C-alpha cells in the first residue's frame, strides 16, 4: 500500500511503501529516531517510522541515512499520532528497499 494510505488502515498489519524524505533524532525522552516516508514533517500525509533508543545502536543512523531518497517498504500496523500515520519498528533492517522487497516476495 502507498504510504499515504496508511492513515486509512490504522491497526491493519500490511506493507506500506514510499520514498524516505527525511529522518531526525531529536534527543527527546526515549531517544526516538523518526523516519519520514513520502512527505516531510509536519505534512500529515507522511508515514513516520519510529525506532526507539532502546532498539538503536551505533550503526542505526548510518543505515537510515543510506536510505534517504530511496523507495522503501515497511511492514507494520499503523496508528495515528498527531494526525499522521506512524509505525514502530525494532531495527532499521525492517525497512526494505523496494528491490529487496520484490526479491523477498519472488523468493517465497
Amino acid at each position: 500500500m502507498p504510504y499515504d494510505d496508511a492513515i486509512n488502515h490504522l491497526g491493519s498489519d500490511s506493507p506500506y511503501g514510499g520514498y524516505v524524505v527525511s529522518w531526525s533524532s531529536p534527543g527527546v525522552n526515549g531517544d526516538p529516531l523518526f523516519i519520514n516516508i513520502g512527505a516531510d514533517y509536519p505534512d500529515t500525509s507522511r508515514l513516520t517510522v519510529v525506532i526507539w533508543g532502546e532498539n538503536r545502536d551505533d550503526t542505526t543512523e548510518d543505515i537510515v541515512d543510506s536510505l534517504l531518497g530511496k523507495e522503501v517498504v515497511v511492514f507494520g500496523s499503523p496508528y495515528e499520532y498527531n494526525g499522521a500515520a506512524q509505525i514502530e519498528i525494532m531495527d532499521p533492517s525492517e525497512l526494505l528497499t523496494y528491490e529487496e522487497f520484490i526479491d523477498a516476495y519472488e523468493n517465497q
Side-chain angles (χ1 to χ4, degrees), residues 3 32 39 52 68 70 75 78 83 98 105:
Y3 74 91
W52 291 100
L68 273 174
K70 293 184 179 173
F75 288 87
Y98 185 72
Y105 182 76

Side-chain angles (χ1 to χ4, degrees), residues 3 5-14 16 32-34 44-52 74-89:
Y3 74 91
D5 203 26
I7 196 72
N8 298 316
H9 298 278
L10 301 178
S12 176
D13 207 21
S14 297
Y16 298 93
L33 185 140
F34 299 106
T44 56
S45 71
R46 75 187 184 281
L47 171 60
T48 300
V49 176
V50 181
I51 304 173
W52 291 100
V74 62
F75 288 87
S77 181
Y79 58 92
E80 186 270 332
Y81 185 79
N82 288 341
Q86 191 162 291
I87 292 176
E88 293 179 14
I89 62 173

Side-chain angles (χ1 to χ4, degrees), residues 31-91:
D31 199 23
L33 185 140
F34 299 106
I35 304 156
N36 293 309
I37 297 176
D40 206 358
Y41 176 85
D43 188 329
T44 56
S45 71
R46 75 187 184 281
L47 171 60
T48 300
V49 176
V50 181
I51 304 173
W52 291 100
E54 64 191 30
N55 300 315
R56 294 171 49 190
D57 63 25
D58 292 342
T59 65
T60 302
E61 289 185 8
D62 291 335
I63 293 168
V64 171
D65 199 50
S66 74
L67 295 173
L68 273 174
K70 293 184 179 173
E71 189 172 18
V72 297
V73 177
V74 62
F75 288 87
S77 181
Y79 58 92
E80 186 270 332
Y81 185 79
N82 288 341
Q86 191 162 291
I87 292 176
E88 293 179 14
I89 62 173
M90 301 294 282
D91 188 272

Side-chain angles (χ1 to χ4, degrees), residues 15-34:
Y16 298 93
Y19 287 89
V20 175
V21 297
S22 68
W23 66 271
S24 65
S25 180
V28 296
N29 191 29
D31 199 23
L33 185 140
F34 299 106

